[in-house]
Amino acid sequence: MDDDSGEKRSRAREPRERSEKPRGRGLGRPTKSVFRCNRCGHNETISNIASESSCTQCGEDLHTCTNCARFDTSAPNECREPIPQRIAKKSKRNDCDFFSAKTIQEFESESVSPEDARSEFDSLFDF
């Protein structure tokens, strides 16, 4: 497009201002680190994982490769650490020195009553 002076206009958009507020679902909500049994998904306390530990719900071993943070199926010997030999049964108990419990970040539960939720909604529109 040409304007009155004969020069072409640039259609480049200016970058949007970035907000410092959290974006996305739940972003900014309080979280906690939890360890879950790889077999049943039951939350276990991280401090209780010794080599002979088992899940309190399903009874499976917890000190296993599948419950380890270093377990990686694409790595050599399926471990991110240089282990001397491959452990064949990844879901069975072992005495690996590199074991580190695999934790995930989970939102802390907030008990919100329906009345509280409704009042929060109404406050958005000043009812």
Side-chain angles (χ1 to χ4, degrees), residues 69-88:
R70 293 178 174 92
F71 178 64
D72 184 2
T73 56
S74 64
N77 294 328
E78 298 178 302
C79 186
R80 291 186 192 133
E81 294 294 330
I83 57 175
Q85 88 184 82
R86 183 176 180 273
I87 297 171

Side-chain angles (χ1 to χ4, degrees), residues 107-126:
F107 292 120
E108 290 183 8
S109 62
E110 297 175 5
S111 57
V112 178
S113 69
E115 294 82 27
D116 291 340
R118 182 63 187 192
S119 67
E120 290 292 325
F121 178 77
D122 289 342
S123 70
L124 289 173
F125 301 102
D126 295 324

Side-chain angles (χ1 to χ4, degrees), residues 8 18 22 38 55 63 111-112 127:
K8 291 186 176 184
R18 292 198 173 213
N38 191 51
C55 178
H63 198 284
S111 57
V112 178
F127 285 117

Side-chain angles (χ1 to χ4, degrees), residues 24-36:
R25 288 181 72 190
L27 202 60
R29 283 181 45 198
T31 60
K32 60 181 177 179
S33 294
V34 295
F35 170 74
R36 290 192 177 163

Side-chain angles (χ1 to χ4, degrees), residues 32-83:
K32 60 181 177 179
S33 294
V34 295
F35 170 74
R36 290 192 177 163
C37 172
N38 191 51
R39 183 160 186 256
C40 69
H42 182 264
N43 286 355
E44 295 286 337
T45 55
I46 300 169
S47 62
N48 292 344
I49 302 176
S51 61
E52 61 277 341
S53 296
S54 59
C55 178
T56 56
Q57 185 169 349
C58 66
E60 285 294 311
D61 298 329
L62 292 178
H63 198 284
T64 64
C65 292
T66 54
N67 285 322
C68 182
R70 293 178 174 92
F71 178 64
D72 184 2
T73 56
S74 64
N77 294 328
E78 298 178 302
C79 186
R80 291 186 192 133
E81 294 294 330
I83 57 175

